[in-house]
Amino acid sequence: MTLEITTTATAGLTKPIVIKPIVSDSEKLLPEVLQMVRTMPGGVAGVLKQFRDKGLGHVALALTSKDGTRMISPQQIVHGLGTLHIEALATATRLDARVVRKELVVLLPQVLEQLAPARTAVKGVAVAV
């Protein structure tokens, strides 16, 4: 978070300094993504299952990858989560949906890792998260 400091002068008078915190897009989005994953049926496993059920098993693996290679596009995030979730996140954070999609590429894997137990079973297969 950064701070924006402004002063204004009117007719020779200076108003007090106003310090407003500037919150980044990811800082706005993080609590909403945490809440979304927590409230989804199945939590982390449910999110991963949703991607797998939509033919995006490779994206589910990338989301939980520990080796740092995450080739995930915003379009894959939208396809896996659905536009309703993206729109809900955009509304809750007052961010443009395009910004939400872009931020989720980085933020969703972090949230899944934070909320996941050591191993999560998806479709009977243990997935390291």
Side-chain angles (χ1 to χ4, degrees):
M1 175 178 11
T2 57
L3 297 177
E4 178 182 307
I5 302 172
T6 58
T7 59
T8 57
T10 308
L13 300 173
T14 303
K15 291 185 179 180
I17 295 175
V18 177
I19 301 175
K20 299 186 298 186
I22 299 174
V23 180
S24 73
D25 294 340
S26 60
E27 288 173 317
K28 291 178 188 174
L29 198 52
L30 178 61
E32 298 299 328
V33 176
L34 283 165
Q35 182 65 21
M36 177 193 71
V37 173
R38 285 182 182 131
T39 59
M40 280 187 131
V44 171
V47 171
L48 297 175
K49 181 180 183 316
Q50 188 169 320
F51 276 86
R52 290 183 192 281
D53 289 350
K54 293 180 179 180
L56 297 169
H58 62 289
V59 176
L61 289 174
L63 286 169
T64 59
S65 173
K66 290 280 193 187
D67 66 7
T69 22
R70 291 190 174 117
M71 300 301 291
I72 306 166
S73 72
Q75 294 80 12
Q76 291 170 318
I77 296 289
V78 172
H79 185 70
L81 290 178
T83 55
L84 291 178
H85 284 293
I86 303 300
E87 290 170 8
L89 290 169
T91 300
T93 58
R94 295 183 176 171
L95 294 172
D96 185 273
R98 290 174 293 199
V99 172
V100 171
R101 293 190 300 260
K102 182 180 102 358
E103 292 292 330
L104 283 175
V105 169
V106 174
L107 203 52
L108 186 58
Q110 294 171 354
V111 167
L112 294 176
E113 183 176 342
Q114 180 180 340
L115 294 179
R119 295 184 77 74
T120 302
V122 179
K123 283 195 174 182
V125 178
V127 178
V129 287

